[in-house]
Amino acid sequence: MMLIPAFRTLQFQATATDEKFRNDHQLDVGTTPAYATNYVILSTIRVMERHISLGIELGLYPNWYDLSTSLWYRDFLLSAMINVKASIEREKKQRKEIDLQFKMEQEEEERKSKKKGKSKKNKRSRQQPSSPSSSTLKENVTAEDFEGKIICC
């Protein structure tokens, strides 16, 4: 029975680890999952459930009241395990969505910066006409017109 108090100490250490991780990386408590804490809680529930299920299998609960109580407690532990696993999966899914959104925003910013760079080059060429006929041609044609032709053909 020394294992359960060890998991309690481990849970305190996991909470401290999660807090240090958030502080070191300047993350928000509300949006950053407690990875180490969830892992320790899940491991503790597994050990507790295994302990109860072994007692049931070995017939350590001889009368109906003890057996019904242990079955109820095992059901409670299994429900808690499902909830913790679902929470972990939900946090993992949210993290992937956030990463994807961040990646898309970075790509959009890169496209905008490339587009601005192209339009600045065209503005310079418009400001320095070589002949009167070429200046009127350059004023009518924009960079977007060329991009449309390049993309479609």
Side-chain angles (χ1 to χ4, degrees), residues 31-141:
T31 58
T32 306
Y35 296 110
T37 303
N38 286 340
Y39 176 77
V40 170
I41 290 172
L42 192 59
S43 299
T44 304
I45 292 172
R46 283 183 181 148
V47 168
M48 293 167 70
E49 188 277 326
R50 187 67 182 147
H51 180 77
I52 296 294
S53 67
L54 286 174
I56 292 170
E57 289 175 20
L58 293 172
L60 298 179
Y61 310 110
N63 59 21
W64 69 270
Y65 180 76
D66 293 336
L67 184 59
S68 66
T69 304
S70 62
L71 288 172
W72 172 85
Y73 191 59
R74 183 171 184 238
D75 180 59
F76 171 77
L77 290 172
L78 291 172
S79 297
M81 190 183 312
I82 289 170
N83 287 335
V84 171
K85 283 184 177 182
S87 173
I88 291 171
E89 289 298 319
R90 194 174 346 143
E91 290 167 352
K92 194 184 296 186
K93 184 179 177 182
Q94 288 174 347
R95 190 69 186 160
K96 285 182 181 179
E97 290 173 356
I98 290 170
D99 289 343
L100 181 63
Q101 183 180 7
F102 182 70
K103 184 178 178 183
M104 289 173 60
E105 288 173 357
Q106 283 182 333
E107 290 174 355
E108 184 67 29
E109 288 176 11
E110 288 176 6
R111 272 190 256 136
K112 286 181 180 179
S113 66
K114 286 181 182 179
K115 207 173 207 181
K116 286 180 181 178
K118 288 180 182 179
S119 65
K120 286 181 182 178
K121 288 179 184 177
N122 288 336
K123 287 180 183 177
R124 286 185 207 142
S125 64
R126 279 189 228 152
Q127 291 172 353
Q128 301 170 358
S130 58
S131 66
S133 61
S134 65
S135 66
T136 57
L137 178 66
K138 288 181 183 177
E139 288 176 5
N140 294 335
V141 179

Side-chain angles (χ1 to χ4, degrees), residues 22-38:
R22 288 184 191 118
N23 290 338
D24 288 350
H25 298 286
Q26 300 172 350
L27 299 172
D28 184 29
V29 175
T31 58
T32 306
Y35 296 110
T37 303
N38 286 340

